[in-house]
Amino acid sequence: MIVGFLVVLSTLIPGGVSVSTWSMNASKETEAIRGQDVVLTCSFTHPKQDHYAGNIMVEWSKDSKQSGKPFFACSIQNISSVNLRACSWSRYSLHGDPRQGVLLLLIERVQPNDEGEYSCRIKLDNKNEMEKTMVLKVVEKPEILSLSLVNDSAPQRLQCVTAGNPLPNITWLSTSRGPILAEKEKKEGYRLTSWVPYEVGDRVTCTATSRLGRAERTLQPPSNALTVALIAGGGAVLLLLATGGVVHLLRRREERSLHCTHSPAEGAVDFQAVYSTVVLPVSEESPLHCTHTPAEGAVDIQAVYSTVVLPVSETLPP
C-alpha cells in the first residue's frame, strides 16, 4: 500500500519545467502510528531540471542542529528510470522520480525515538544545494501494560499502568461502587500509572482512552465456590497425610517390638524372659497365698516368672 502511494504521489507532482530558481516543498508535520511505516515527502525543482545529466545527491538528517551529520545519503542519476533499490539502509529507503523532482524517504516500523525534526537536502554537482525541514511525530494507541493489586499499604490498592502518545485518560469502574476516582496518577514519558482503593471481592475495570482508540482490563475476584473447594481439598489432603504418618509410626513400633534391634557380642548369651503357668495345691502355709479362698477341692493358679538363659541363635523366633 505504501509503495502504491509513492507511485501515485510521484506522478501527481509536475516536473520537466524550466525554472530560474530553486524551490522545495515538504510537509511541515507528518504523524505516524508506532509500529507502522511512514513516508516523508520532499519535492524540488531546479534551473537545470530539464537537461541536467549529472548526479543528484540526496541527504536526510535528523535533528541536524544537534548532530549536523546525515543518517542517510545516496547519489542518483537525474533520470526517471533510475533504480533506487540501492538507496536503502536499515529501515530507510529512497523512493520517487528524480527527473520529476520527487524524492521520498520511507521509514519502516516507526518507533518513538524516530520522532523529531528531519531535513531533506538536495545537491547538484556537490555545490548547488537546497534544504527543507519537516517534523515527524510518532503517536501510539492506548495500551494497558498491567493491572495488579498493591499490598504495600492498608487498605489495598489497585494499580493500572498504561502507555500511549498522546497519554490516555484513565477511568475506573466498579460493579458494586460505580465510577471510582483515582487516588493519584504518575506520568513517566509515554506511560501513565493510576491507583484506586480496592475492596475484597470487587470487580474493577481500568479503561485507557485517547483519540486513537481505547483499551481496558478487568480484575476478576476469585470465585467463592472455587475458594471453598480449594480450602476443603487442601484440608482433606492434610488429613490424609497426617493419618498416613500415624499409621506408619505405629507399624514401625510394632516391627521394633517383634524383632531385636541388636546382636549380642561374640561368646555372650541372650537373656529372654519366659513366662509359664504353674498349678499349685492350695496350702495355708504357702507364702504365695491369695486374698480369696477357693472353693473346696479347687486348685489355685498363680503365675511364676523365671529367667532362662538361652544360647544365641542367628534367627530369633518371632
Side-chain angles (χ1 to χ4, degrees), residues 171-185:
T171 56
W172 294 89
L173 182 64
S174 165
T175 54
S176 61
R177 294 177 287 165
I180 311 174
L181 295 178
E183 286 185 340
K184 67 174 183 177
E185 291 185 344

Side-chain angles (χ1 to χ4, degrees), residues 66-240:
Q66 299 178 5
S67 62
K69 296 181 179 180
F71 65 88
F72 182 90
C74 188
S75 180
I76 57 176
Q77 290 180 304
N78 188 29
I79 56 176
S80 298
S81 60
V82 64
N83 185 2
L84 297 178
R85 291 183 179 180
C87 294
S88 61
W89 173 76
S90 184
R91 297 181 295 119
Y92 310 99
S93 57
L94 193 65
H95 298 265
D97 184 349
R99 190 73 173 183
Q100 299 293 327
V102 179
L103 294 172
L104 315 172
L105 181 67
L106 172 65
I107 306 177
E108 300 176 358
R109 304 180 303 278
V110 174
Q111 298 301 315
N113 57 2
D114 289 324
E115 186 172 279
E117 184 181 76
Y118 288 78
S119 297
C120 172
R121 183 181 296 110
I122 305 296
K123 295 182 179 180
L124 303 180
D125 298 325
N126 290 325
K127 53 184 179 180
N128 299 313
E129 65 178 65
M130 192 172 186
E131 183 176 345
K132 201 76 172 180
T133 60
M134 64 207 73
V135 174
L136 173 62
K137 186 175 182 181
V138 180
V139 296
E140 185 177 355
K141 293 181 179 180
E143 179 184 5
I144 295 181
L145 303 179
S146 67
L147 177 62
S148 58
L149 276 173
V150 179
N151 298 315
D152 59 353
S153 62
Q156 288 183 319
R157 295 185 300 167
L158 267 182
Q159 174 183 279
C160 185
V161 182
T162 67
N165 184 28
L167 282 175
N169 295 320
I170 297 180
T171 56
W172 294 89
L173 182 64
S174 165
T175 54
S176 61
R177 294 177 287 165
I180 311 174
L181 295 178
E183 286 185 340
K184 67 174 183 177
E185 291 185 344
K186 182 180 179 180
K187 298 179 181 179
E188 290 180 322
Y190 294 136
R191 291 192 177 189
L192 177 64
T193 305
S194 178
W195 292 268
V196 295
Y198 176 72
E199 296 182 1
V200 178
D202 201 0
R203 184 175 182 270
V204 181
T205 300
C206 173
T207 303
T209 308
S210 75
R211 61 181 176 84
L212 299 175
R214 58 178 287 160
E216 66 179 31
R217 188 175 297 185
T218 301
L219 180 71
Q220 298 285 356
S223 171
N224 292 333
L226 178 60
T227 304
V228 172
L230 290 175
I231 294 175
V237 171
L238 291 176
L239 180 60
L240 289 174

Side-chain angles (χ1 to χ4, degrees), residues 247-298:
V247 172
H248 177 71
L249 289 176
L250 291 176
R251 287 182 176 176
R252 291 296 299 272
R253 286 188 178 182
E254 183 179 355
E255 292 174 358
R256 288 184 178 182
S257 64
L258 294 177
H259 300 283
C260 182
T261 59
H262 67 279
S263 300
E266 185 177 359
V269 294
D270 191 13
F271 291 89
Q272 295 189 19
V274 177
Y275 304 95
S276 61
T277 302
V278 180
V279 179
L280 299 175
V282 178
S283 174
E284 294 187 8
E285 290 81 17
S286 175
L288 299 174
H289 62 274
C290 300
T291 57
H292 66 279
T293 303
E296 185 177 356

